[in-house]
């Protein structure tokens, strides 16, 4: 917090003495005495906005920075009085006059995670920063820089760093001059004296270089920090661990984290270090694709977070900001951790638990399209598990719900089989589609929400648009990426360093395009599962028109569109989408040049897990095999059994016999029966009956998009 100067040109001598005394008491930490003196002074100067501000700051410090609701009202009153005085003088409010009031308001908004509101005030202050005192200017710059980094506005943060570097040049020159004088006067005296502001600037430079992926520059700044400051400081060690995490040196990052000292549960800066520690371990293991272990660490982080929040006591609903220090208002990271946990549970193939986690997180981050898409993916994976149980129920001796009934007797006995869309609707019969349940109906709603929340890009902004950040009331960030912790400057005391985990990263143009493509692919699959073939075709056509479409999404789009056309009886059109020669890539990356290779992993991670079948190890031969099988099915529906047999032979030649799905054997038997080769069909069944019964039903379930699942 900042206070204004005690003297004023229209103060009397007695008032100046009281003001000087109050300032001296405030600087020495005697806040109650300062409030008492300022109260006496306010009796003669009732409506002085600077006095109102100083009294509010002193009273807030006297309460241990816990009466935030009252302090917020006092700041608003001081700001209103400044505007009122300017109106009476027919003048505009001078930003310099209200600089400290605006700074304290911006500081409070920052700790309330209302970063954009805080940024508006700070940018106004930055434009009039020259007349202000040096330390006030530095505090404004550091808070502005912190806000830019939280919002990932890297270009603007770079400008502030350049300004701070220029502003502190004089301090550096003065420091060298003083060191030279000290060595001349006393040769034995130590000349190693580092300006805390310079160390803080090095810290911000390191964080900025991590975001920019300038590894050498970041490593150089961290070395300066470790040589000049406390090498065992958690903020420095966590920053070093983040550098190794970004460089994908995961084991080294873990060693650095483990070397950090074990501090109390809640730091004096309002951060829960154990929760941050387990969160970062979870992020590292997520980068190593150890999703179950990552989920375990995120659960540990949630427990530590709950323990830290419980230490702060209960919150009064009438005054939600009162009772906890300002630095602890942003202590709770529950929803960010729930997002991380839900993402890893989804990747680990546990969609029901992931659904519960992400559903709770989306109630706070409800304007985030990534979360709605992940929620829909949980529904798709839950449907996949349900289909697995349906199709494996016959092997356990239970009656499958796929069989609706039996009609006729003797040689005329027939089995009535339900379609996949009918069996899917049975599980949600009688429930509203808007009910948050892991069903395809709810997935359809989630995908519509995600589509509506996507920012629209035009041709002028697609090349280099500004980052788009999602902010909610009380909680900020875009929970689309897993990130490690960073070092943050605390402003309530003006000196100490905060260790914190940033919320989420904003979306850039290429990520928005990938997200849009993933939404369309998932929407096409969901519409197909619901039997809405018209919507499936519409989503598919929109998917094909997307720029830089990944090979896997293009492949899935052709599969979904072809199945919808088959279901509508448009076999000839479906065959056009089932050309195996068009499959040259089944990856999720869209990088086309060497300059983009460094971000290939990030691009892949941004789409991976957001499309049906993401857990399958897709390869070009496997994709071609699936395409040939679907093509053979289409030929069977057209009674072109010779073409179907050739397509089936091409499919089986692409993979090992052990990797051939059971549906291929059944299709081969069907073709032999239709062509009158009953003996060949019997031999095929005898030859493959052991493999068909023992083969993993999970592999069959992952290849669930074959047409023969309901047409053969």
């Amino acid at each position: 917090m900042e206070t204004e100067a005690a003297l004023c040109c229209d103060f009397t001598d007695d008032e100046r003495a009281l003001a000087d005394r109050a300032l001296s008491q405030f600087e020495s930490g005697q806040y109650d005495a300062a409030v008492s003196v300022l109260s006496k002074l306010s009796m003669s100067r009732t409506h002085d906005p600077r006095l109102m501000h100083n009294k509010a700051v002193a009273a807030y410090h006297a309460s241990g920075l816990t009466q935030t609701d009252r302090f917020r009202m006092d700041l608003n009153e001081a700001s209103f009085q400044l505007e009122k005085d300017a109106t009476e003088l027919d003048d505009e409010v001078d930003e310099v006059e209200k600089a400290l009031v605006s700074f304290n308001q911006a500081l409070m908004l920052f700790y309330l995670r209302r970063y954009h509101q805080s940024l508006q005030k700070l940018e106004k202050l930055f434009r009039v920063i020259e007349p202000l005192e040096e330390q006030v200017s530095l505090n404004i710059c550091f808070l502005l820089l912190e806000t830019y980094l939280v919002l990932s506005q890297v270009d603007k943060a770079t400008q502030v760093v350049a300004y701070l570097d220029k502003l502190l040049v004089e301090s550096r020159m003065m420091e060298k001059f003083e060191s030279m004088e000290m060595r001349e006067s006393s040769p034995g005296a130590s000349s190693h004296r580092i300006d805390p502001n310079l160390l803080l600037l090095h810290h911000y430079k390191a964080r900025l270089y991590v975001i920019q992926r300038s590894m050498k520059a970041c490593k150089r700044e961290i070395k300066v920090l470790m040589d000049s400051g406390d090498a065992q400081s958690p903020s420095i060690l966590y920053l070093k661990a983040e550098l190794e995490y970004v460089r994908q040196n995961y084991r080294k990052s873990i060693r650095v984290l483990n070397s950090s000292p074990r501090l109390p549960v809640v730091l004096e800066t309002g951060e829960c270090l154990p929760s941050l520690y387990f969160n970062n371990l979870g992020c590292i293991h997520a980068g190593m694709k150890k999703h179950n272990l990552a989920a375990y660490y995120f659960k540990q982080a949630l427990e530590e977070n709950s323990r830290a929040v419980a230490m702060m006591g209960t919150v009064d609903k009438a005054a939600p900001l009162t009772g906890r220090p300002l630095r602890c208002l942003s202590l709770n990271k529950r929803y960010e951790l729930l997002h991380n946990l839900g993402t890893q549970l989804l990747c680990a193939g546990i969609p029901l638990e992931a659904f519960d986690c992400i559903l709770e997180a989306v109630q706070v981050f409800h304007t985030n399209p990534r979360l709605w898409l992940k929620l829909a993916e949980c529904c798709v994976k839950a449907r996949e598990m349900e289909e697995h149980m349906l199709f494996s129920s016959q092997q356990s001796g239970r009656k499958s719900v796929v069989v609706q009934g039996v009609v006729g007797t003797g040689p005329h006995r027939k089995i009535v089989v339900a379609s996949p869309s009918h069996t899917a609707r049975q599980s949600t019969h009688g429930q509203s589609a808007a009910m948050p349940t892991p069903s395809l109906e709810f997935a359809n709603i989630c995908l519509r929400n995600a589509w509506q929340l996507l920012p629209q890009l035009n041709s002028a902004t697609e090349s280099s648009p500004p980052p788009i950040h999602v902010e909610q009331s009380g909680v900020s960030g875009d929970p689309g990426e897993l990130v490690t912790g960073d070092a943050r400057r605390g402003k309530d005391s003006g000196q100490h360093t905060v260790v914190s985990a940033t919320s989420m990263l904003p979306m850039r143009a290429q990520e928005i395009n990938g997200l849009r493509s993933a939404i369309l692919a998932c929407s096409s699959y969901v519409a197909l599962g619901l039997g809405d073939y018209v919507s499936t075709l519409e989503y598919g056509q929109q998917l094909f028109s997307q720029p830089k479409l990944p090979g896997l999404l293009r492949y899935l789009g052709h599969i979904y569109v072809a199945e919808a056309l088959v279901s509508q009886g448009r076999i000839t059109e479906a065959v056009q989408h089932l050309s195996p020669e068009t499959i040259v890539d089944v990856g999720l990356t869209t990088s086309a040049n060497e300059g983009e290779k460094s971000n290939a992993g990030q691009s892949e991670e941004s789409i991976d897990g957001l499309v049906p079948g993401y857990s399958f190890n897709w390869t070009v031969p496997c994709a071609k095999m699936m395409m040939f099988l679907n093509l053979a099915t289409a030929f069977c529906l057209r009674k072109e059994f010779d073409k179907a047999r050739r397509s089936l032979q091409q499919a089986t030649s692409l993979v090992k016999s052990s990797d051939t799905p059971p549906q291929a054997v059944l299709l081969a038997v069907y073709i032999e029966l239709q062509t009158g080769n009953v003996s060949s069909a019997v031999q095929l069944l005898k030859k493959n009956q052991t493999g068909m019964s023992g083969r993993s039903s999970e592999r069959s379930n992952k290849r669930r998009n074959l047409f023969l699942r309901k047409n053969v």
Side-chain angles (χ1 to χ4, degrees):
M1 297 297 167
E2 297 289 345
T3 57
E4 300 191 59
L7 298 179
C8 183
C9 58
D10 57 347
F11 272 33
T12 65
D13 292 340
D14 293 339
E15 290 173 341
R16 287 183 182 180
L18 287 175
D20 290 338
R21 191 166 123 204
L23 179 60
S24 176
Q25 291 171 341
F26 179 84
E27 291 177 345
S28 62
Q30 303 176 26
Y31 303 122
D32 291 326
V35 172
S36 178
V37 173
L38 290 173
S39 298
K40 293 179 182 179
L41 187 59
S42 62
M43 295 176 63
S44 58
R45 307 185 64 86
T46 310
H47 300 294
D48 190 326
R50 287 168 294 183
L51 181 59
M52 295 169 61
H53 169 262
N54 286 350
K55 184 180 177 181
V57 172
Y60 191 43
H61 276 273
S63 69
L65 303 180
T66 58
Q67 301 294 325
T68 306
D69 290 291
R70 181 61 189 173
F71 180 59
R72 191 176 183 182
M73 294 175 57
D74 292 340
L75 286 180
N76 291 336
E77 289 178 4
S79 179
F80 174 77
Q81 189 63 41
L82 281 170
E83 295 176 357
K84 182 179 179 182
D85 293 346
T87 303
E88 292 176 354
L89 297 175
D90 295 331
D91 195 5
E92 294 183 358
V93 180
D94 189 359
E95 292 295 334
V96 178
E97 288 292 327
K98 60 179 298 188
L100 294 180
V101 177
S102 297
F103 173 76
N104 286 335
Q105 288 178 326
L107 174 63
M108 186 184 310
L109 291 170
F110 178 86
Y111 275 107
L112 293 176
R113 303 191 194 184
R114 299 180 181 178
Y115 300 121
H116 288 286
Q117 297 179 29
S118 177
L119 185 61
Q120 292 177 0
K121 294 183 176 294
L122 291 171
E123 287 180 336
K124 289 182 179 179
L125 290 173
F126 190 68
R127 289 193 288 267
V128 296
I129 201 172
E130 295 296 336
L132 301 178
E133 296 180 5
E134 180 182 357
Q135 190 56 46
V136 175
S137 301
L138 288 174
N139 288 342
I140 292 173
C141 290
F142 282 127
L143 184 58
L144 178 61
L145 179 56
E146 177 64 41
T147 308
Y148 279 144
L149 290 180
V150 169
L151 298 178
S152 294
Q153 298 185 17
V154 181
D155 295 336
K156 294 183 178 180
T158 304
Q159 297 175 4
V160 178
V161 167
Y163 178 81
L164 279 170
D165 216 354
K166 181 181 178 181
L167 187 64
L168 292 173
V169 166
E170 297 180 1
S171 300
R172 290 177 178 176
M173 298 302 295
M174 184 62 68
E175 180 184 350
K176 290 182 179 180
F177 180 73
E178 291 178 354
S179 299
M180 291 176 61
E181 288 186 341
M182 186 179 299
R183 286 196 298 268
E184 292 177 358
S185 60
S186 54
S190 175
S191 60
H192 188 70
R193 180 176 173 272
I194 303 297
D195 184 2
N197 292 320
L198 284 175
L199 287 178
L200 189 58
L201 180 59
H202 285 298
H203 215 139
Y204 277 113
K205 283 183 178 180
R207 288 178 55 191
L208 186 60
Y209 291 145
V210 168
I211 297 175
Q212 294 175 333
R213 300 300 188 260
S214 300
M215 304 307 174
K216 292 183 179 180
C218 179
K219 189 175 181 179
R220 182 174 60 250
E221 296 297 333
I222 292 178
K223 187 177 185 303
V224 172
L225 289 171
M226 299 190 74
D227 293 340
S228 304
D230 183 9
Q232 293 299 314
S233 171
S235 59
I236 298 177
L237 290 175
Y238 275 57
L239 186 56
K240 185 178 179 181
E242 182 176 5
L243 172 63
E244 300 301 334
Y245 169 81
V246 173
R247 297 171 66 184
Q248 298 185 1
N249 297 332
Y250 299 123
R251 298 194 179 279
K252 186 175 180 180
S253 180
I254 293 175
R255 289 198 300 270
V256 174
L257 280 178
N258 291 333
S259 66
S260 177
R262 298 293 187 265
L263 296 180
V265 176
V266 180
L267 298 176
E268 61 177 6
T269 54
E271 293 288 340
C272 179
L273 191 61
S275 178
L276 178 61
Y277 169 77
F278 285 116
N279 173 74
N280 288 350
L281 281 180
C283 294
I284 294 170
H285 285 89
M288 299 168 68
K289 305 299 182 183
K290 297 181 179 180
H291 303 299
N292 286 289
L293 192 55
Y296 168 78
Y297 284 121
F298 285 131
K299 289 179 180 179
Q300 295 294 317
L302 272 170
E303 293 178 2
E304 295 293 344
N305 180 79
S306 301
R307 188 177 296 110
V309 172
M311 290 176 58
M312 298 295 105
T314 57
V315 177
D316 186 3
K317 294 183 179 180
L321 305 181
T322 300
R324 291 172 294 166
L326 176 65
R327 58 184 178 272
C328 294
L329 293 179
S330 57
L331 172 66
N332 191 2
K333 302 295 191 303
R334 173 175 176 79
Y335 299 102
E336 291 90 337
L337 293 173
L338 280 173
H339 162 261
N340 287 353
L341 175 59
T343 301
Q344 294 310 302
L345 290 173
L346 177 60
C347 293
I350 313 175
L352 296 181
E353 293 185 21
F355 179 85
D356 294 335
C357 293
I358 298 178
L359 182 64
E360 187 173 350
V362 83
Q363 295 176 17
V364 175
F365 301 105
H366 53 265
T367 60
N368 191 323
R370 282 176 175 151
L371 271 183
W372 287 107
L373 181 54
K374 289 182 180 180
L375 200 60
E377 176 63 13
C378 291
C379 299
V380 170
K381 290 293 293 183
R383 162 68 183 273
E384 179 184 348
M385 293 180 62
E386 183 180 357
E387 285 187 353
H388 171 71
M389 295 177 63
L390 291 176
F391 287 103
S392 62
S393 59
Q394 289 180 331
Q395 295 181 0
S396 59
R398 295 175 296 175
K399 181 180 178 181
S400 174
V401 296
V402 176
V403 179
Q404 283 190 299
V406 180
V407 296
T409 57
H412 304 290
R413 187 170 177 264
K414 302 292 182 183
I415 297 177
V416 181
V417 180
S419 64
S421 58
H422 176 79
T423 57
R425 284 192 290 269
Q426 282 186 344
S427 60
T428 58
H429 180 70
Q431 294 184 1
S432 172
M435 290 294 293
T437 56
S439 62
L440 290 186
E441 289 81 3
F442 185 68
N444 192 32
I445 295 176
C446 295
L447 291 169
R448 290 182 181 180
N449 290 342
W451 181 261
Q452 293 296 327
L453 290 170
L454 274 179
Q456 300 299 321
L457 298 178
N458 52 46
S459 57
T461 61
E462 279 189 0
S463 58
S464 58
I468 300 168
H469 192 84
V470 182
E471 180 168 358
Q472 288 302 120
S473 58
V475 182
S476 171
D478 184 3
E481 301 292 338
L482 296 178
V483 294
T484 56
D486 53 50
R488 179 178 300 170
R489 170 78 182 274
K491 293 295 183 300
D492 53 334
S493 67
Q495 296 296 330
H496 53 259
T497 303
V498 179
V499 181
S500 173
T502 55
S503 307
M504 306 295 163
L505 298 177
M507 295 180 292
R508 297 195 177 273
Q510 60 272 23
E511 297 170 337
I512 296 172
N513 291 331
L515 195 61
R516 182 180 289 111
S517 300
I519 291 174
L520 289 171
C522 198
S523 299
S524 181
Y525 175 85
V526 170
L528 186 62
L530 294 174
D532 187 358
Y533 306 121
V534 175
S535 296
T536 302
L537 297 178
E538 292 178 355
Y539 289 133
Q541 294 304 321
Q542 292 184 57
L543 179 65
F544 298 144
S545 64
Q546 295 302 307
K548 298 181 180 180
L549 184 64
L552 178 58
L553 297 187
R554 184 177 299 277
Y555 163 72
L556 292 176
H558 283 298
I559 290 290
Y560 301 153
V561 169
E563 183 166 352
L565 291 171
V566 168
S567 300
Q568 292 180 330
R570 300 157 63 180
I571 310 298
T572 303
E573 297 178 53
V575 170
Q576 297 176 0
H577 287 273
L578 296 175
S579 176
E581 288 75 15
T582 60
I583 303 176
V584 294
D585 176 34
V586 288
L588 286 172
T589 59
T590 58
S591 299
N593 52 56
E594 293 296 329
E596 295 180 353
K597 281 188 177 181
S598 60
N599 295 325
Q602 185 176 355
S603 301
E604 182 174 348
E605 189 69 23
S606 63
I607 304 177
D608 191 12
L610 301 180
V611 291
Y614 73 93
S615 58
F616 185 78
N617 186 20
W618 291 95
T619 60
V620 173
C622 180
K624 287 187 176 182
M625 179 203 66
M626 300 293 293
M627 193 70 84
F628 273 118
L629 286 179
N630 284 286
L631 187 61
T633 305
F635 286 141
C636 285
L637 295 174
R638 292 170 57 176
K639 308 298 182 182
E640 298 176 357
F641 298 111
D642 291 336
K643 292 182 178 180
R645 183 181 286 107
R646 287 196 297 269
S647 297
L648 185 59
Q649 291 174 351
Q650 288 178 294
T652 55
S653 65
L654 290 171
V655 295
K656 299 178 181 179
S657 58
S658 59
D659 293 333
T660 304
Q663 290 93 333
V665 179
L666 295 176
L667 182 59
V669 172
Y670 178 81
I671 293 173
E672 297 300 330
L673 290 175
Q674 290 295 322
T675 55
N677 299 325
V678 179
S679 59
S680 298
V682 173
Q683 290 178 1
L684 282 172
L685 288 175
K686 289 181 178 180
K687 181 180 179 181
N688 293 279
Q689 61 181 352
T690 303
M692 290 176 60
S693 60
R695 195 167 288 152
S696 173
S697 58
E698 180 181 358
R699 184 187 301 117
S700 172
N701 190 38
K702 289 179 179 177
R703 300 181 173 99
R704 63 191 179 281
N705 50 7
L706 288 175
F707 299 148
L708 54 88
R709 64 182 181 182
K710 60 182 179 182
N711 292 318
V712 176

